[in-house]
């Protein structure tokens, strides 16, 4: 696909009375936009497809390596995930290769799943606005409006509820009150104390990806619910989330090298990226976000 992505992160001054608002029209507007909302971030996408997907589309949160988790914790987490699956019929998750004997042949052929959880794109996006040819899509960085009836329909039907085509423009957004990328912790979960993401993922970066499960229709997928093996996925976009103080490895550290831990401002960050990439303006379907 082609288009634009805007990532709006809740910054500390939103919750501080009398705090200095960031300079600049866009940071100030985003700070005001977040005020009065629980969400810790909101990602907005405005895209046109170059290819019509024939299989179900998923929004996934994944890790590169299996996580180290005890049997008791894994069992309790499995109960919670099973509850989520009952509420969201399209929800899918896998522990990856954790606790399994390594099958090097299967891995080399892509017949395995990474540690991940995912939802159908149609059901997971908080808003989807479809703009017909000739009309102007809503601008990014502002509230996106979708009728309550449309939202309910998408979440009830899941995969197949949106007519994906090459003519329309799709403006979508995803937000959450439960994940703070700057503090690198999970919070606001009812009955659960805030905890560091490192307690689950270790020091790994976290990846957010949009992908299609190929070789199967939406209808057949709902019946068979096959695994999301790597060789069956067509990845449309993949974003890496890292934290300069709490994660190791990944694309961000590879690109920035020794500068990774001591960048303090957005300007320093972008200067380092431009220097590492030689000032290239080449677009990519992969990216990283560092907090």
């Amino acid at each position: 696909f082609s288009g634009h992505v805007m990532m709006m992160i809740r910054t500390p001054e939103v919750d501080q009375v009398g705090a200095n608002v960031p300079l600049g029209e866009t940071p100030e507007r985003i700070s005001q936009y977040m005020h009065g909302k629980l969400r810790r971030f909101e990602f907005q996408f405005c895209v046109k497809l170059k290819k019509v997907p024939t299989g179900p589309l998923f929004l996934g949160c994944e890790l590169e390596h299996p996580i180290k988790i005890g049997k008791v914790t894994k069992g309790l987490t499995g109960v919670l995930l099973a509850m989520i699956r009952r509420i969201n019929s399209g929800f899918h998750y896998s522990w990856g290769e954790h606790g399994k004997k390594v099958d090097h042949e299967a891995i080399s052929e892509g017949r395995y799943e990474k540690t991940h959880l995912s939802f159908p794109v149609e059901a997971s996006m908080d808003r989807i606005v479809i703009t017909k040819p000739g009309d102007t899509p809503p601008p990014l960085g502002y509230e996106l409006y979708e009728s309550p009836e449309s939202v309910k329909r998408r979440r009830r039907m899941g995969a197949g509820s949106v007519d994906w085509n090459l003519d329309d423009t799709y403006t979508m957004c995803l937000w959450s009150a439960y994940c703070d990328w700057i503090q690198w912790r999970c919070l606001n979960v009812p009955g659960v104390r805030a905890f560091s993401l490192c307690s689950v993922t270790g020091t790994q970066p976290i990846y957010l990806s949009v992908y299609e499960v190929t070789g199967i229709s939406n209808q057949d997928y709902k019946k068979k619910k096959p695994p999301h093996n790597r060789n069956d996925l067509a990845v449309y976009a993949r974003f890496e989330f890292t934290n300069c103080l709490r994660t190791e490895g990944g694309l961000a550290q590879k690109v920035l090298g020794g500068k990774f831990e001591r960048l303090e401002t957005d300007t320093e960050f972008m200067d380092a990226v431009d220097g590492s990439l030689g000032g290239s303006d080449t677009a990519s379907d992969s990216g990283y976000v560092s907090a």
Side-chain angles (χ1 to χ4, degrees), residues 184-185 195-204 206 245-247:
W184 203 250
R185 64 175 185 162
F195 59 89
S196 170
L197 294 174
C198 293
S199 64
V200 178
T201 64
T203 59
Q204 296 187 68
I206 296 175
L245 301 178
R246 296 176 176 84
T247 62

Side-chain angles (χ1 to χ4, degrees), residues 2 5 12 15-16 26 31 42 61 71 100 104 109 115 129 142 150-151 157 175 199 204 213 221 269 279:
S2 62
V5 177
D15 303 306
Q16 297 172 357
T26 299
S31 180
E42 180 172 334
C61 183
K71 291 183 178 180
K100 299 179 182 179
H104 295 287
E109 295 176 356
T115 302
V129 180
Y142 297 86
S150 176
V151 174
M157 292 182 58
W175 66 67
S199 64
Q204 296 187 68
V213 180
Y221 179 88
F269 180 78

Side-chain angles (χ1 to χ4, degrees), residues 63-181:
L63 300 173
E64 277 294 309
H65 308 289
I67 58 178
K68 297 180 180 179
I69 186 172
K71 291 183 178 180
V72 175
T73 303
K74 183 176 180 180
L76 293 174
T77 305
V79 172
L80 177 60
L81 294 173
M83 291 174 61
I84 297 175
R85 175 177 284 174
R86 283 197 295 269
I87 299 172
N88 303 272
S89 60
F91 174 64
H92 176 84
Y93 74 92
S94 172
W95 294 105
E97 298 303 300
H98 175 74
K100 299 179 182 179
K101 184 178 180 180
V102 178
D103 185 337
H104 295 287
E105 182 179 355
I107 291 177
S108 65
E109 295 176 356
R111 293 185 286 107
Y112 72 99
E113 293 185 271
K114 287 185 177 180
T115 302
H116 75 284
L117 54 85
S118 58
F119 296 84
V121 166
E122 294 94 330
S124 59
M125 290 295 175
D126 289 288
R127 299 289 183 268
I128 297 181
V129 180
I130 302 175
T131 305
K132 296 297 181 183
D135 294 334
T136 302
L140 299 184
Y142 297 86
E143 191 85 47
L144 297 180
Y145 176 77
E146 180 184 9
S147 71
E149 294 76 17
S150 176
V151 174
K152 290 179 181 178
R153 174 181 173 276
R154 284 194 297 104
R155 291 180 174 168
R156 183 181 67 254
M157 292 182 58
S161 60
V162 174
D163 174 25
W164 303 110
N165 60 68
L166 304 184
D167 300 318
D168 296 337
T169 300
Y170 302 92
T171 308
M172 304 172 281
C173 69
L174 170 75
W175 66 67
S176 176
Y178 306 122
C179 186
D180 190 307
W181 298 113

